[in-house]
Amino acid sequence: EALDAAPRSVVVDSEGEVFFTATSTSVVADAIYHIDSDGEVEEVHIADGDIDDLEIDPRGGLAYSSGTTVYRLRELGMEPEGMANLLFEFYDCFVYYGSSCRLEVAVDPDGFIRATSRHLGPSAGSKLVLIARDGSLVRFPLNFYCQVGDLQVAPDGSTLISCMNGPTRRVWPDGRIQELEGWHPKCDEPGTYTGGAGISVASDGSIFLADSKCNRISKIDSIYGANAYLGSGTAGYAGDEAGLL
């Protein structure tokens, strides 16, 4: 089915249900849409503004970020005013240097939400919060210097945060922050990674980074360390520089 607006993000739950975000056709804001088994598209929720990130809650429902706030969407098919629970607001997003924020969210198997802020202005400071299903903070915000690209929950329960201007961070459940080895500011250094606009974690714990600065996909694991998985660091080249494919 043709869409009237450009989709921003898409997620699929364990039963194959597809949800995506796009600008609403009825109001000037982003909305969440559902695609049914017949390919029909239904608008199921209207946000207060632009939606930065959308994730599936394994315990049911969706989590999303919009503006300076993280929401949990428990039910679909209701009026917009009654559908979303405001969980946490990053009040300082407009404090530092007048910069705004982009929020990233990830949900673990128990339904706990990890959320990070990334300042879009001169400040590169970020926060990480852990939010329970009832909206209470499990852990007070952790502050770190990083322009967050993406975050994922690893199989060991830690939170992995890719940074566009520095090393990828692993945050352990007790709050310890570990910088992953192998980061280098230049693209031509073998056995390194540079930045991470996106991050994904395999079931064996291997980490894949979308390195937009160096035009490559980097893989970090415990055996080989950091290596170029796809791409040589030169725009337009999609070859397998490291011989890993």
Side-chain angles (χ1 to χ4, degrees):
E1 180 174 325
L3 301 177
D4 294 328
R8 292 176 180 267
S9 58
V10 61
V11 292
V12 183
D13 68 14
S14 60
E15 297 180 354
E17 297 291 318
V18 179
F19 300 89
F20 69 93
T21 65
T23 301
S24 172
T25 57
S26 57
V27 296
V28 183
D30 277 4
I32 298 174
Y33 297 83
H34 172 243
I35 306 175
D36 66 21
S37 58
D38 296 322
E40 296 294 323
V41 178
E42 177 190 10
E43 184 179 275
V44 295
H45 176 68
I46 298 174
D48 292 332
D50 293 344
I51 295 178
D52 289 333
D53 198 11
L54 175 70
E55 296 292 340
I56 295 290
D57 182 345
R59 294 290 188 94
L62 301 164
Y64 73 90
S65 58
S66 176
T68 61
T69 308
V70 177
Y71 297 89
R72 185 191 301 279
L73 188 60
R74 296 183 183 276
E75 298 180 66
L76 303 175
M78 298 171 56
E79 292 299 318
E81 295 79 13
M83 293 178 63
N85 298 112
L86 186 155
L87 293 183
F88 183 80
E89 184 165 10
F90 288 83
Y91 290 104
D92 60 347
C93 276
F94 297 98
V95 174
Y96 298 105
Y97 305 101
S99 62
S100 59
C101 283
R102 176 182 171 86
L103 307 183
E104 300 289 338
V105 295
V107 190
D108 69 18
D110 295 322
F112 287 79
I113 296 175
R114 276 83 160 164
T116 59
S117 64
R118 170 167 67 89
H119 291 288
L120 302 180
S123 171
S126 296
K127 289 180 180 295
L128 170 69
V129 296
L130 179 61
I131 309 167
R133 290 184 60 81
D134 62 1
S136 61
L137 279 184
V138 178
R139 187 170 57 232
F140 290 106
L142 296 173
N143 299 290
F144 53 96
Y145 183 83
C146 168
Q147 288 185 337
V148 175
D150 195 8
L151 78 157
Q152 291 288 324
V153 180
D156 59 12
S158 64
T159 306
L160 288 162
I161 304 171
S162 65
C163 297
M164 298 164 62
N165 64 335
T168 294
R169 269 77 166 179
R170 186 191 297 274
V171 182
W172 296 99
D174 62 6
R176 290 180 295 120
I177 300 178
Q178 172 193 1
E179 294 184 356
L180 300 191
E181 297 182 359
W183 179 81
H184 195 277
K186 295 183 179 180
C187 300
D188 56 358
E189 190 70 21
T192 64
Y193 67 95
T194 302
I199 188 170
S200 187
V201 189
S203 58
D204 64 358
S206 299
I207 300 165
F208 292 84
L209 293 173
D211 190 344
S212 56
K213 179 180 178 181
C214 296
N215 301 288
R216 65 189 179 194
I217 302 296
S218 295
K219 179 182 180 181
I220 306 173
D221 61 31
S222 58
I223 299 176
Y224 297 103
N227 273 292
Y229 187 76
L230 184 66
S232 64
T234 301
Y237 178 75
D240 174 22
E241 186 76 2
L244 296 177
L245 287 178

